[in-house]
Amino acid sequence: MTATTNTLNYKQHNYYLTLILLCLGYFIDFYDLTIMGVGYNELLKEQFHITNQLQLQQTYLLISNCQTLGIFIGAFLFGTLGDKIGRASAIRYSILLYSITTILAVYTPWLEVFIFLRVLSYIGLATEFATSTVLIIELFSHKSARWGTAILYCFGVLGGICATSIGMLSWKIMFLSGGIAGLVLYFARKNITESPALLAVNKQYKSELGSLILLISNRHYLAILIRYFILILPYFALISLMFLFPNYIIKDYSLGQATRILLLGFFIGNIISSLLSAYYWSKLGNPFGFMLISLIIFISLMSNFAHISETYLWLYSCGLGCIGGGYPIVCTQLLAHEYPVYIRSLASNALTALGRLSGIIFNLLITNWLMNKQAFIHQVIYTSIIVFLLALGSLILSRKNIQNQVVV
């Protein structure tokens, strides 16, 4: 009995150590997702001598699109590897790729090389949240996994807050800190526990492990992916558009000040929403109501950004954060539960890839909208309404599936 208890305690200890290492990885992931939004103004001026405000915004969107392309590639690459070679190995080598390319980006004087290195960095970052979520739900009970994933996301938000704070000092320090932290984590991640569920099926389903052909050729699997992509679309619309909102709100603040206020408020809303999603789901056993409330908040805030006073920018940002936290957490967990273990990592990462691809489309549209202030406001409202209706329809159609597959 004592030996069995000791074994169980040892496994639990390893599982919680794994959770900590996953949380630190998503801390770095979110940290880097933030640094361009925080520091692009100073970075582009200092390193590439771009000073025109319109050109700054357009260059930022170009870099953002290229980084998103990196996430698209990395999600499929490391998502597949997460099923083929294991969740632990995939997230370990992905952080190594990110770290090296992020450090190199600080020292290049050429914009084209900088963009290429950012693409490689984002190929490395692409798998952090999805693969970590999959590993958490495969190591812990359903209730513990909900809280574990919420804590994972909260650590990511803390990474964003850290990047915002460091960004007040220097964009170079932001980049170097992220790269060096990633290298340290690469060595620490040799202690991550592999998924027992994956180890149990990796021989029986060897040919199906991480099979993209299986994912897209099976109508049922493809339908699930499309359904959740439509469902998570409001989140990606939000993060594509929100960094431009301060331009239509500020009067006395500088753009840099307003962006930092936006981010800090957004991050606080993220933490609140992440913890509420776990609490709501654990208490009621069904996250449908939480997702419906999130969609209502989305359409209410996105369609009224131009009417927000500068005084209430922080409060408005907190509201936006309530969409950006718990909502994508719930979507990712629900999707992961609907797929078999041998393609679960690929499917979860594919959701991220498609969401980020939609971000490229949003950014291309935004580039044209920027030419006219009123046109931008109207187009954001129209786009938000369309995205809201699509997601609401998908949520209503998915209600029975969500209720049937959720285990309390």
Side-chain angles (χ1 to χ4, degrees):
M1 181 68 71
T2 303
T4 303
T5 303
N6 288 339
T7 301
L8 290 173
N9 289 338
Y10 178 75
K11 287 177 67 176
Q12 283 297 113
H13 174 269
N14 283 349
Y15 289 176
Y16 284 112
L17 175 61
T18 295
L19 177 61
I20 291 170
L21 293 173
L22 294 176
C23 288
L24 291 174
Y26 196 51
F27 179 98
I28 294 173
D29 182 318
F30 218 117
Y31 175 98
D32 198 274
L33 289 171
T34 306
I35 59 178
M36 278 305 297
V38 172
Y40 80 89
N41 210 41
E42 291 82 4
L43 186 158
L44 295 177
K45 286 179 180 178
E46 290 179 21
Q47 191 154 341
F48 305 112
H49 311 294
I50 299 171
T51 56
N52 178 270
Q53 192 60 41
L54 179 59
Q55 191 179 359
L56 280 169
Q57 290 181 354
Q58 290 174 334
T59 305
Y60 165 68
L61 290 173
L62 172 63
I63 295 172
S64 179
N65 283 341
C66 293
Q67 291 178 158
T68 301
L69 179 62
I71 289 180
F72 184 80
I73 296 168
F76 280 105
L77 172 61
F78 284 105
T80 300
L81 291 175
D83 289 320
K84 288 188 177 294
I85 67 173
R87 319 322 189 191
S89 295
I91 58 175
R92 188 175 182 223
Y93 292 114
S94 65
I95 202 74
L96 178 63
L97 174 62
Y98 157 76
S99 302
I100 294 171
T101 52
T102 297
I103 293 171
L104 291 175
V106 175
Y107 300 103
T108 176
W110 302 289
L111 180 61
E112 295 80 4
V113 176
F114 177 85
I115 292 174
F116 176 69
L117 289 170
R118 294 308 291 160
V119 171
L120 293 178
S121 294
Y122 273 59
I123 288 175
L125 283 182
T127 195
E128 277 294 334
F129 180 68
T131 303
S132 295
T133 297
V134 167
L135 188 51
I136 288 169
I137 68 174
E138 291 174 351
L139 291 178
F140 295 93
S141 67
H142 293 286
K143 186 174 183 179
S144 296
R146 289 166 197 158
W147 283 104
T149 309
I151 292 169
L152 173 77
Y153 204 89
C154 288
F155 261 81
V157 174
L158 292 175
I161 294 173
C162 180
T164 305
S165 302
I166 295 175
M168 296 177 184
L169 303 175
S170 165
W171 67 266
K172 287 185 179 179
I173 295 175
M174 276 198 301
F175 272 71
L176 290 173
S177 299
I180 293 169
L183 285 177
V184 173
L185 187 59
Y186 163 73
F187 292 104
R189 277 187 165 178
K190 67 181 180 180
N191 298 308
I192 284 183
T193 301
E194 186 52 84
S195 163
L198 181 64
L199 294 173
V201 304
N202 64 359
K203 291 183 179 179
Q204 183 181 357
Y205 295 97
K206 191 170 184 178
S207 61
E208 288 94 345
L209 289 172
S211 173
L212 181 59
I213 294 175
L214 176 62
L215 179 63
I216 62 178
S217 63
N218 184 301
R219 292 178 62 184
H220 175 64
Y221 292 158
L222 185 60
I224 293 171
L225 183 60
I226 293 172
R227 175 158 45 92
Y228 279 98
F229 164 64
I230 295 173
L231 199 55
I232 206 171
L233 202 56
Y235 168 70
F236 288 102
L238 169 70
I239 61 176
S240 297
L241 291 162
M242 60 176 277
F243 286 110
L244 297 171
F245 287 172
N247 292 289
Y248 300 85
I249 297 174
I250 59 175
K251 292 181 180 178
D252 298 321
Y253 294 146
S254 69
L255 181 58
Q257 287 176 310
T259 301
R260 292 183 181 100
I261 292 171
L262 174 77
L263 282 169
L264 289 174
F266 182 74
F267 292 148
I268 290 171
N270 279 178
I271 292 174
I272 294 170
S273 177
S274 298
L275 297 175
L276 280 177
S277 71
Y279 179 81
Y280 187 103
W281 197 349
S282 296
K283 285 294 182 182
L284 299 182
N286 183 350
F288 180 87
F290 176 84
M291 299 175 79
L292 181 60
I293 292 169
S294 297
L295 286 178
I296 293 171
I297 294 173
F298 168 81
I299 190 59
S300 300
L301 296 182
M302 293 292 284
S303 58
N304 288 289
F305 74 95
H307 303 295
I308 301 301
S309 166
E310 185 179 69
T311 307
Y312 298 105
L313 175 60
W314 184 83
L315 185 61
Y316 177 75
S317 304
C318 288
L320 293 177
C322 288
I323 309 158
Y327 190 81
I329 291 175
V330 172
C331 285
T332 305
Q333 289 182 83
L334 287 171
L335 175 133
H337 280 297
E338 292 209 36
Y339 283 94
V341 173
Y342 48 83
I343 59 166
R344 184 174 286 164
S345 173
L346 173 60
S348 299
N349 279 278
L351 180 65
T352 299
L354 292 176
R356 291 295 179 178
L357 183 63
S358 71
I360 294 179
I361 296 171
F362 286 128
N363 284 346
L364 290 173
L365 293 172
I366 292 167
T367 302
N368 293 322
W369 300 346
L370 288 172
M371 301 298 179
N372 184 296
K373 186 172 183 177
Q374 284 303 313
F376 178 85
I377 294 170
H378 292 145
Q379 293 296 342
V380 169
I381 294 172
Y382 299 149
T383 302
S384 299
I385 292 171
I386 292 170
V387 168
F388 167 76
L389 292 175
L390 286 172
L392 181 62
S394 180
L395 180 63
I396 292 170
L397 291 174
S398 303
R399 183 170 189 172
K400 187 174 288 186
N401 298 72
I402 292 172
Q403 290 172 334
N404 290 341
Q405 69 99 16
V406 172
V407 181
V408 180

